[in-house]
């Protein structure tokens, strides 16, 4: 039961919905963002991570099926393989570096898309935001259809100042 987080909204930025200029391409990439409201008192961020993992909205395979309330996968991983300790603390600059490199792979990002991404990631500019990354897990954690994504990046941003947690998945299909 989630006591620390309440799911608020989901947003998908499908790069195919934007016009890329000459020499650039969407590369079938997308960013999915799920926003959670935090309860008033947060004793431990690992507990926040645990509640996000426990949420129904976390049960998303990111291959087009959407959230499955009875599902047993999250992204390319079996849900049972993901614990709060899997999420590693990262500084904001490391998160920005990973995302900037991933974004740059297809050439120049259209300004409208870049603005949407910057707005979605504005928590990265807040010094009070803690950042966590779900790195690639062991082969035994990978589910049967995980190979649909060439790259898969997942971050959880926790802002005590704004009382929200943002789960960000950047990938392709």
């Amino acid at each position: 039961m989630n006591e620390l987080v309440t799911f608020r909204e989901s947003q998908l930025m499908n790069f195919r919905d934007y016009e890329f200029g000459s020499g650039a391409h969407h590369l079938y990439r997308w960013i999915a963002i799920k926003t959670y409201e935090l309860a008033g008192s947060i004793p431990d961020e690992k507990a926040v991570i645990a509640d996000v993992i426990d949420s129904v909205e976390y049960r998303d395979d990111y291959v087009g099926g959407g959230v499955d309330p009875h599902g047993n996968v999250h992204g390319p991983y079996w849900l049972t393989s993901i614990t709060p300790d899997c999420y590693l603390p990262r500084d904001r600059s490391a998160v920005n570096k990973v995302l900037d490199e991933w974004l740059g792979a297809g050439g120049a990002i259209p300004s409208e898309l870049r603005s949407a991404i910057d707005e979605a990631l504005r928590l990265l500019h807040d010094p009070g935001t803690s950042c966590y990354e779900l790195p690639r897990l062991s082969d035994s954690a990978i589910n049967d259809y995980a190979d649909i994504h060439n790259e898969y990046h997942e971050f959880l941003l926790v802002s005590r100042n704004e009382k929200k947690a943002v789960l960000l998945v950047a990938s392709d299909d």
Side-chain angles (χ1 to χ4, degrees):
M1 179 184 217
N2 300 71
E3 296 178 11
L4 298 177
V5 303
T6 303
F7 176 75
R8 287 296 173 223
E9 66 180 335
S10 183
Q11 176 184 9
L12 176 68
M13 287 178 252
N14 189 330
F15 288 25
R16 286 176 277 186
D17 295 339
Y18 297 87
E19 186 69 36
F20 281 73
S22 177
H25 195 270
H26 57 73
L27 299 177
Y28 302 97
R29 293 177 294 167
W30 48 265
I31 295 176
I33 295 172
K34 295 184 180 178
T35 303
Y36 297 82
E37 181 180 305
L38 301 181
S41 175
I42 305 300
D44 173 7
E45 288 183 0
K46 288 289 185 178
V48 170
I49 296 169
D51 266 13
V52 169
I53 292 169
D54 192 44
S55 72
V56 169
E57 294 77 18
Y58 193 80
R59 297 170 181 266
D60 193 333
D61 58 17
Y62 298 106
V63 295
V67 172
D68 179 355
H70 305 291
N72 59 0
V73 299
H74 170 77
Y77 304 114
W78 296 112
L79 194 57
T80 56
S81 300
I82 303 172
T83 67
D85 289 333
C86 292
Y87 281 85
L88 304 178
R90 298 289 188 242
D91 63 43
R92 291 184 316 279
S93 64
V95 173
N96 276 320
K97 184 176 189 265
V98 168
L99 291 173
D100 285 345
E101 287 176 4
W102 179 77
L103 287 168
I109 298 293
S111 60
E112 182 182 2
L113 175 58
R114 185 74 231 198
S115 293
I117 293 168
D118 290 345
E119 174 59 27
L121 298 178
R122 66 183 174 74
L123 285 182
L124 283 174
H125 302 292
D126 176 1
T129 296
S130 300
C131 302
Y132 298 89
E133 178 181 18
L134 181 64
R136 186 181 195 288
L137 300 179
S138 69
D139 288 347
S140 64
I142 296 174
N143 67 45
D144 297 339
Y145 44 89
D147 61 352
I148 194 169
H149 305 295
N150 292 318
E151 286 191 56
Y152 182 89
H153 302 284
E154 181 171 327
F155 299 98
L156 182 63
L157 312 176
V158 179
S159 172
R160 291 176 185 249
N161 293 339
E162 294 200 25
K163 296 190 183 312
K164 68 169 63 170
V166 173
L167 180 69
L168 178 139
V169 173
S171 192
D172 56 52
D173 55 6

